[in-house]
């Protein structure tokens, strides 16, 4: 049996800090974890990876008040908010 893993999209949905992203990310940017993770800021990727690892191995994550999975980058001056979207194969 061939197993297709879920696609995981990483979307920039908000900014909490006052400064813009030093890597140039802005609201609305979206990255496919498998094919575009090299385009994501390493600081954001460092924060995203544990969440993605848990999802890929069948774990569950707490949901935000909006019902989705969110995390922030570790740059305190910027603090971009990212949302993880899981796309099932064939969709």
């Amino acid at each position: 049996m061939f197993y297709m893993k879920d696609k995981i999209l990483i979307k920039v949905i908000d900014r909490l800090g006052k400064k813009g992203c030093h890597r140039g990310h802005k609201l609305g940017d979206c990255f496919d974890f498998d094919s575009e993770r090299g385009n994501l800021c390493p600081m954001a990727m460092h924060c995203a990876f544990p969440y993605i690892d848990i999802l890929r191995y069948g774990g569950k994550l707490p949901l935000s008040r909006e019902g989705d999975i969110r995390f922030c980058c570790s740059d305190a001056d910027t603090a971009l908010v990212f949302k993880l979207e899981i796309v099932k194969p064939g969709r």
Side-chain angles (χ1 to χ4, degrees), residues 7-55:
K7 179 186 284 195
I8 298 179
L9 300 177
I10 304 167
K11 297 181 178 183
V12 181
I13 61 167
D14 200 359
R15 186 182 82 210
L16 304 176
K18 295 182 185 204
K19 293 187 177 182
C21 173
H22 70 277
R23 183 76 179 237
H25 297 326
K26 57 193 174 308
L27 296 180
D29 285 354
C30 184
F31 306 91
D32 179 311
F33 173 74
D34 289 312
S35 63
E36 299 176 307
R37 68 177 150 221
N39 297 330
L40 188 63
C41 170
M43 289 169 59
M45 190 65 229
H46 179 78
C47 296
F49 187 78
Y51 289 86
I52 293 167
D53 200 37
I54 289 167
L55 291 172

Side-chain angles (χ1 to χ4, degrees), residues 2-3 5 13 20 26 31 42-43 49 51-52 54 56 58 60 63 72 78 83 86-87 89:
F2 181 73
Y3 171 73
K5 59 185 168 183
I13 61 167
K26 57 193 174 308
F31 306 91
M43 289 169 59
F49 187 78
Y51 289 86
I52 293 167
I54 289 167
R56 284 279 165 92
K60 302 286 183 206
L63 300 178
C72 289
T78 303
K83 176 173 87 170
I86 303 161
V87 180

